[in-house]
Every structure is written in C-alpha cells, then in structure tokens.
Amino acid sequence: MRFEDDPLTRSYDAIVVGSGATGGWAAKRLSEAGLEVVVLEAGRNVSPKEFTEHKPAFQLKYRDMAGAGDWRKSRPIQTQCYACTEYNYDWFVDDTQNPYSTPAGKPFSWQRLRIVGGRTLCWGRQSYRLSDLDFKAASHDGYGHDWPISYADLAPFYDIVEDYVGISGSAEGNDALPDGRFLPAMKMTCGEVHFRNTMAKNFGRTVTIGRSAIITQVHNGRAACHNCGACERGCISYSYFSSPFTTLKDALDTGKCTLLTNAVVAHVEMDSSTNRATGVTYVDGKTRQTKTIRAKTVILCAQALESTRILLNSANGRHRAGLGNSSGLLGRGLMDHSVGAGASGELPQFTDAPDPLSGPHRANGIYIVRFRNTKQGSRHANFIRGYGFQGSAGAVFNQEAGGFGAAYKKAVKTGIYRISVGAFGESLARDDNFVSIDPKLKDAWGIPALHISMTHGENERAMHEDAAESGAEMLEAAGARNIEIRSAVSEPGMAIHELGTARMGSDARTAVTDSFCQLHDVNNVFAMDGACFVSSGCQNPTLTMMAITVRACDRLIDRFKKHEI
Amino acid sequence: MNRRELLRNSLLTFGAAATVSVPVEALVFASGEDASRDLARPNWKPAFLSANQNETLIMLSETIIPATDTPGAKEALVNRFLDLILSALPATTQQEFLESLAWFDTGSMARYKVPFASLSDGDREDFMNLVAWPHTHVMWQQSEAGFPGFEHFSRLKRWIAAAYYSSPAGFKEQGWDGWPARGALRGCEHQPEERQSDKQGAKPGEI
C-alpha cells in the first residue's frame, strides 16, 4: 500500500460508522456526490457463500432444534432472536465479548449483528412510512415532543429510498399509514382476503399485504424474489434489501469510498480549540491495536444504542457528560416497540392443503393499520397512541394433530388452516428509560460498555390488553375457532426496534440533534440512525431511518458545496 | 418462478456475488455437507441412550409415525437423531425424556407383563389407544386426576414428530424435492363475486 493510500494517513470528507441500513445509505449518498468517505464496520466482511436459505435443516447437525449446539453458550441473548439460528449464528455478536448491564428486574434483550451489512442481512423487511399522526403525536395527545419535521418534509426522501430499495405493497389511502411507491404487491391467501374484507365491512379497519423490502420484479439489477421463504439466511438473488449488495456496493463502486472492517469505534476525536471533531479512534478487532482516522465530518450509523455509546464514551474536558450532551438528554428516551399481545385460531371454513416445502413460500404477512386514537377516531380511555398488527392466515402442516399411526401421519399432511395476528405497539419516549456508560464494565476491546435501563409502562400494558381483545374480536368476526389470546408484554428489546437516546429537535435545551441529525453541540458530528427518533410510532422503523439519513446527507452535501464544512 | 427463471436470475446477480471473497473466519458449510448422512453410518451406536432405551424408542416412534406408502420413523432414523440431540441438551431435558420413555416400559409391564418393545401388535395398539388421548380418572366424590400416560406420550410425540419431519424422509413427506426454485405465489384465486365476505349481510366465517 502506498503511504498516501493508507486510510490512517489520509483525511476523509466523512467517516461513516456502521455499514447497515443507514450506514450504507450515507456511504452511497456522500460518495456518489463526490465526497471521500471511509466506512468503519466493527465486524468482518460477508460473502454470499455464507447464504444458506436453501440448505434443508436435516443437513445441520442439530437441525436448529431445541437449544442444542455449543455456539448457543456464547450467545445466550442473541438466541432470543428468531433469526439467530444454527445456520447463521456467527453473524450475531458473541455476548461474552459484547457485554452490557441492566438493573435487577429490568431485563433488556439487545439483539445485534457485527458484520458488514449489520441487521440488513436478516431483518424483517417490513417497511412502513410514519405519518403526521406520528411526527406530530405530541400535538395530538399532549404527551412528549413533536418531531421538528413533518411528513411533508420527509415524503420526498421516502420516495428516493423506496424507488431504490424496492418495496412491494399495496396503496390503501389510509392517513395513518401513508402510501408509498410500491412494486407489485405479494398476493394474499384466501383466508387473508376473507379476513381483509370482513375487517373492512365489520370494523372499517384496513388490512393490507405487508409492505416489504422484497422485490417482486427485477429492480435495479436485482432479481425478483424466488419465494423460498428463508430470507434471514441470505438470498442468492439479492431480492431483499441488504446493504452490502446494494447501497454499500454502489458506494464502493464510485472509487470514493473505503471500507474498513474489524474497526471497533471507541470514541470521537475532538479539537477543543475549534470544538470540531477531527476523526474517530477505533480498536482493530483482530490486532487490538488502537488507531485514529481523520475526517471533516463524523457520521454515526452504528445502531441507536451503539451510536449513543460512542457519544457517551467521547466525553472530554469541554463535553464532560458525553459529546452532544449539554441538554443532559443523551441516552434518554430509549424506546422499543412493545410486542407480545395478539390472537390466533383456526379458520375451519378453508380446507386448502398446505403448500409443499418445495412450493412457493411468501416471506411476508398481512398488516392491520393502526385504528386506535387516530385523527378521525375516538380516543381510548386507557392509553394514548396505538398499535398495528402483523399476521398471516394459511394452511400449515399439522404436527400437533392428535393420535398416532397412519391416521396421525395423514392428519399432519392434511394440515390445518391457521390465522394469527400479533401487535406492535408504540413505545412511549420516557426519560427514565435510558442508557449510560457502566463504569465497571468493558467489552473485549477495552471499550466501556452500556448500562441499559428500560421497562414498558402502564400505557404499553393497557395498549396490549386492548390489542389482545381486539385481536380476538377480529378473529371471531372472521369465523375463527379455538381462538387463543395473548396479552403479555415481552421484555424490552424483543421487537429489535431500539430507537431514541439522541432525539432530534429544534431547541438545543430539549434535544440532542437538529432536524438534520447534527449534534446541536458540535456541528460536524451526526447521529443518522434510530437514535434521533423523537417518538416511535408503531410502524417498523427502518424505512424511516433510511429516509432521515438521505435527507440529512443531502443537506450535508449542500453544506460541503457551500464550503460550510 | 420456474427453474429457468431462477437460473437466469442467478446469472443476473452472479457478478456481484463473484466479487466478494469469503472471509476466513466465516461460517461456510462445505458443499454437499449433510449431517443426516452421518446418522446412517453402519457402525452407529447410541451415545446417550442405553440399548434398551434405544429399542423402546425405535418401537414407539415407528408406532406413532409408521411406514405407510412413505417411510416411517424407523427408516428416518428418528432414534439416532434424538440420541444425538439429547446428548447435547441440558440434564433436566434429558431426564424428562428418559422418565417418559421409562414410563412406557413401566406401563407396559404393569398391564401386559412385557416391555413395550416386546408387545404384540394388538397389545401395542391397545396400549397406544389408552395413552394417545386426553384421559382422566374420575372417582365418585373425588376430584379429577390427570392420567400421566397422556403427558408422557405427548412429550415423546413432540420429540419424535420434530425429528421425523426434519429428516430427509419427513421433508419429502411434506413435499420437498430438493430444488430451490419454488414457483410463483398463487394467492387467492377466487373472484370477488364468489366470496360471501365481499357481500353485505354475510355471516361471520362465510367465505
């Protein structure tokens, strides 16, 4: 390597920390605008040869079953994630190397990956826009803060992201869930069509096919989904959105972007005389050497809690409580959608046979749009905000059939027609849900670790009681039998939608970043991921994170053009 | 999507795939690696179960999932996979499994004076009919007591079904043909006029 090509001797226009959904977009947007970018990823690179979506379970030693496998011992938290399996566990962090603490009686399940692409390798792909019911929620019900942006501000950037990513879905004209620019929708099963029609007729509720970042036709050089159904294990045709093979690849193709892997960022380097960041210090994950890399701007896309951890660990003489923490709010307002409530049952009026394992499988479900506390509807007496449902209906093989012998074998094959819906509830931003640095705990690279303190509150509990009731009510109206309901609220973290801790706002006294994700306290450091969320809505957040990132990057490019950086 | 379309799509994206090398530390399954073949080795011996327990398990699993026009649990080597996975599970799970397995021999001895694996076909059918369904003993003026046989049966059946339907034979039973192309999603093909749920006045559950 020539001296001038060594990343450590160069000064970049931008350091992007993280290579997932928002890091990929920041790298793409900035490098395509001609800026020199370096992306620091804490994990290793990934190859399509690791994809296992077509590998049948019987080829695995333990068939991903029943908690067997020594690898689980190093990942007791990660195995709580549905997507962390015997196929792909090494995409997820080793919990013994990446510790965090929680208060007694307040568990938090922090499920995460450290690898190029981050969670986009195995995310759920559900992609929904927020609406002004969410951006201006405080004005609607008086709780918390409005976002400093409105839906109109973000809509053009949703368009950009959707046009590139490819979101299959169906327009519904429901204000609570703005329509986007969709590829052809996946098809509903007969049971789902029946359910959709019954909900519209009986309750005036909108049931739509899941809006998914899975492409249903050739799109931007990627092939249409081949319907194998196991997206969390990779995709040979890159049919679901994953940053290493889309945004990040585009960035690297510009020749303006450098990717450094195994670069575990510890803190932001500051020039105290100018109060500007000069770069970041990271630990080489393999050699354990500490290195510093310089740039005109630092963009944190490390995932909400990791970005805030870096800011908290960047405390210095001028920023004693952490970088960007003059408000005292850095780390506060942690959110994660509440999950756990729902209903399931059987639709005996449908007698379809299950699709064979080698038949098409839709890696998507249906979505019931929020119907509580909407602008048009009445206010619920027991809670504010609302929830959406995700679910599905269809025939499945019935291993739970009764009896034994040839009759049992036949019953399994005949199958059973099931329907289920599960709620995703808004998690209120509360300042007593927070992260801080644990003074006694460090990770395997010597970097101080987080202390995470979060509970779901009475509002979430009341919301989930209502969700269980309304779920059962809807299934009953659809003619379901053997209905079972769940009203429990799972421990925080289980939605894998960590948001907040560096919320945006116009006032530096009540927010950490401005509406373009720039720290109020330092004008060349940005938090462009879920950390900047003011409220959570109830929709899956990744699409909004990406749109916010594109908006913030376009503003940053403009500032570069005006020589303001 | 048919097989030709899958091949074309694979070629479409091959360029991107070919440019990324495999990190040395990555978990990559070797081409053709198949753990189920290891279970079929001729010199296989149980690692966790005793010979008697293994025999009981073979008989019980084949009774629950027998060979019909497709292979049953014995041919699917359900006992061998369960022996493997039990050897890797916590002691409490192992103990529960063995207790349930032992109950079948105990119950069989009490009723027929022979171990479960030695029952005649008729007696085994009779015994299974006794345990395979929810069952309670209710005595006059006494509270209802659960029948443990059904609990033991249910526990072992869950294990046996999971092992069978995750085996190569079980996969084929569920329509697996080994080919990754899955065809187009069909979805509901009913026309709106065929569906009662599209019409006013339909009752709950009417399609």
Side-chain angles (χ1 to χ4, degrees):
Chain A
M1 182 189 294
R2 295 182 307 168
F3 176 78
E4 60 269 30
D5 291 335
D6 183 349
L8 300 183
T9 66
R10 296 179 57 186
S11 181
Y12 293 87
D13 292 317
I15 294 168
V16 175
V17 181
S19 64
T22 63
W25 266 107
K28 171 182 167 66
R29 208 68 180 166
L30 300 177
S31 59
E32 287 181 342
L35 300 181
E36 296 284 347
V37 178
V38 61
V39 176
L40 303 186
E41 165 54 49
R44 63 172 175 82
N45 213 334
V46 65
S47 163
K49 291 187 178 176
E50 298 173 62
F51 294 169
T52 54
E53 75 272 34
H54 300 145
K55 187 176 180 68
F58 58 76
Q59 292 184 355
L60 299 176
K61 184 174 182 182
Y62 297 119
R63 302 179 188 174
D64 192 37
M65 199 183 291
D70 282 345
W71 61 273
R72 294 176 188 271
K73 293 174 184 168
S74 61
R75 290 171 174 81
I77 296 165
Q78 305 313 308
T79 50
Q80 295 173 5
C81 176
Y82 72 96
C84 181
T85 67
E86 191 176 350
Y87 289 98
N88 64 355
Y89 61 85
D90 74 331
W91 291 354
F92 288 74
V93 300
D94 180 324
D95 290 316
T96 63
Q97 294 185 324
N98 295 275
Y100 61 94
S101 61
T102 55
K106 292 185 179 180
F108 186 95
S109 183
W110 192 9
Q111 302 166 15
R112 54 202 161 127
L113 289 77
R114 277 191 170 179
I115 190 166
V116 171
R119 292 182 189 169
T120 65
L121 291 176
C122 56
W123 66 310
R125 307 165 300 282
Q126 294 292 296
S127 300
Y128 301 99
R129 296 185 177 203
L130 299 186
S131 74
D132 277 335
L133 185 61
D134 309 300
F135 291 118
K136 304 302 174 189
S139 295
H140 184 60
D141 58 30
Y143 180 87
H145 299 267
D146 282 341
W147 291 56
I149 56 174
S150 66
Y151 177 70
D153 293 321
L154 203 56
F157 301 95
Y158 277 129
D159 289 350
I160 290 168
V161 171
E162 288 172 344
D163 283 347
Y164 178 84
V165 167
I167 308 293
S168 58
S170 175
E172 301 291 349
N174 187 318
D175 290 345
L177 193 77
D179 294 326
R181 295 156 76 99
F182 299 130
L183 298 181
M186 296 182 188
K187 293 175 180 172
M188 288 184 178
T189 64
C190 296
E192 289 165 347
V193 170
H194 162 71
F195 184 70
R196 177 194 67 193
N197 294 345
T198 306
M199 295 310 102
K201 194 169 60 185
N202 289 25
F203 303 104
R205 295 173 186 167
T206 303
V207 179
T208 189
I209 189 71
R211 295 173 179 176
S212 177
I214 298 176
I215 54 179
T216 49
Q217 62 188 28
V218 174
H219 187 73
N220 287 337
R222 294 185 289 133
C225 173
H226 55 277
N227 303 317
C228 74
C231 303
E232 69 278 4
R233 285 150 42 190
C235 180
I236 60 163
S237 54
Y238 307 121
S239 302
Y240 71 86
F241 175 77
S242 181
S243 64
F245 311 104
T246 54
T247 47
L248 197 59
K249 179 176 179 297
D250 286 356
L252 296 172
D253 285 349
T254 65
K256 295 280 188 180
C257 180
T258 302
L259 171 64
L260 294 184
T261 54
N262 297 300
V264 189
V265 173
H267 61 264
V268 178
E269 291 289 339
M270 291 290 294
D271 179 341
S272 58
S273 63
T274 61
N275 191 38
R276 291 172 59 82
T278 57
V280 302
T281 289
Y282 67 91
V283 180
D284 185 307
K286 287 186 169 176
T287 66
R288 310 290 168 117
Q289 286 181 302
T290 299
K291 300 176 179 178
T292 297
I293 193 161
R294 291 174 296 149
K296 294 173 184 168
T297 56
V298 174
I299 299 171
L300 302 176
C301 298
Q303 183 262 351
L305 305 191
E306 287 286 11
S307 291
T308 293
R309 178 187 175 198
I310 292 168
L311 292 172
L312 288 168
N313 277 330
S314 302
N316 57 38
R318 184 165 180 168
H319 303 274
R320 292 183 181 280
L323 203 59
N325 198 16
S326 62
S327 63
L329 293 169
L330 181 64
R332 304 267 165 193
L334 171 60
M335 299 168 276
D336 178 56
H337 288 137
S338 53
V339 293
S344 59
E346 299 160 24
L347 290 176
Q349 64 268 49
F350 295 96
T351 55
D352 312 32
D355 284 326
L357 292 189
S358 284
H361 291 274
R362 190 190 66 193
N364 193 12
I366 55 173
Y367 189 81
I368 305 170
V369 182
R370 171 179 166 182
F371 50 84
R372 292 290 191 232
N373 299 323
T374 58
K375 284 184 177 166
Q376 294 82 11
S378 60
R379 305 288 176 95
H380 198 281
N382 297 338
F383 61 90
I384 59 172
R385 312 293 162 96
Y387 53 84
F389 280 108
Q390 295 179 29
S392 65
V396 294
F397 291 103
N398 186 20
Q399 288 182 30
E400 294 175 7
F404 66 96
Y408 168 70
K409 212 170 161 184
K410 184 180 178 187
V412 172
K413 216 166 174 176
T414 300
I416 188 167
Y417 208 99
R418 291 200 188 283
I419 182 168
S420 68
V421 293
F424 281 69
E426 173 152 354
S427 164
L428 293 183
R430 291 168 23 214
D431 286 348
D432 62 334
N433 283 335
F434 66 93
V435 298
S436 59
I437 297 298
D438 186 325
K440 297 178 181 172
L441 190 63
K442 292 182 178 178
D443 66 14
W445 299 273
I447 302 170
L450 281 182
H451 178 73
I452 304 175
S453 178
M454 180 175 177
T455 57
H456 286 306
E458 285 307 315
N459 198 69
E460 286 84 358
R461 270 187 278 279
M463 189 185 289
H464 276 242
E465 281 183 16
D466 183 67
E469 288 175 22
S470 65
E473 173 188 58
M474 291 191 288
L475 263 55
E476 189 169 28
R481 298 286 181 270
N482 299 325
I483 295 171
E484 294 180 2
I485 65 172
R486 309 175 304 278
S487 59
V489 184
S490 300
E491 72 180 64
M494 289 305 292
I496 328 176
H497 293 165
E498 307 91 23
L499 299 167
T501 66
R503 73 165 172 252
M504 63 164 64
S506 306
D507 187 342
R509 293 167 301 179
T510 57
V512 176
T513 79
D514 69 11
S515 69
F516 292 96
C517 305
Q518 179 211 297
L519 298 189
H520 281 298
D521 298 348
V522 183
N523 74 4
N524 66 338
V525 177
F526 301 80
M528 293 188 194
D529 53 25
C532 68
F533 272 47
V534 179
S535 58
S536 70
C538 61
Q539 301 93 315
N540 304 51
T542 305
L543 182 72
T544 299
M545 290 182 204
M546 293 193 283
I548 286 171
T549 301
V550 174
R551 179 174 179 270
C553 284
D554 282 9
R555 166 67 169 240
L556 182 58
I557 292 164
D558 193 46
R559 287 174 64 190
F560 266 103
K561 285 178 180 171
K562 293 176 179 171
H563 303 288
E564 293 176 1
I565 297 286
Chain B
M1 183 183 296
N2 58 31
R3 296 171 191 210
R4 182 173 296 174
E5 287 170 327
L6 181 75
L7 178 62
R8 189 188 66 211
N9 286 342
S10 298
L11 291 172
L12 181 68
T13 52
F14 178 74
T19 59
V20 183
S21 59
V22 184
V24 290
E25 64 271 48
L27 174 68
V28 178
F29 294 94
S31 177
E33 182 177 333
D34 184 349
S36 67
R37 287 186 200 147
D38 198 41
L39 293 175
R41 64 184 187 274
N43 59 347
W44 180 89
K45 287 182 179 164
F48 173 74
L49 299 169
S50 69
N52 282 343
Q53 288 166 338
N54 187 46
E55 286 306 309
T56 304
L57 181 57
I58 290 172
M59 184 58 74
L60 178 63
S61 60
E62 183 68 11
T63 306
I64 292 174
I65 306 178
T68 52
D69 54 342
T70 58
K74 183 177 180 179
E75 189 177 334
L77 304 178
V78 160
N79 64 309
R80 296 189 181 193
F81 176 69
L82 290 178
D83 177 74
L84 170 71
I85 198 166
L86 283 164
S87 70
L89 290 175
T92 50
T93 309
Q94 293 174 338
Q95 193 59 35
E96 285 177 355
F97 187 96
L98 292 182
E99 279 176 14
S100 291
L101 199 59
W103 186 90
F104 273 83
D105 272 341
T106 306
S108 178
M109 288 296 292
R111 193 174 178 91
Y112 306 101
K113 313 301 180 198
V114 294
F116 183 78
S118 302
L119 286 173
S120 67
D121 290 351
D123 285 347
R124 193 180 318 109
E125 182 84 8
D126 178 52
F127 188 53
M128 292 297 285
N129 273 319
L130 185 67
V131 301
W133 307 99
H135 186 129
T136 52
H137 288 305
V138 184
M139 305 293 286
W140 176 249
Q141 290 187 326
Q142 289 183 356
S143 61
E144 197 173 78
F147 176 58
F150 178 66
E151 292 168 26
H152 292 300
F153 168 81
S154 298
R155 177 183 290 158
L156 294 182
K157 181 181 163 184
R158 278 194 296 273
W159 279 107
I160 288 165
Y164 177 79
Y165 287 105
S166 63
S167 71
F171 260 55
K172 288 174 187 165
E173 178 80 2
Q174 296 167 93
W176 181 76
D177 65 8
W179 182 253
R182 306 301 170 90
L185 287 170
R186 283 180 300 136
C188 181
E189 294 171 341
H190 292 105
Q191 297 303 308
E193 60 271 20
E194 296 178 80
R195 286 192 295 262
Q196 289 299 318
S197 60
D198 280 341
K199 299 172 185 171
Q200 293 297 323
K203 295 172 187 170
E206 280 188 338
I207 302 172

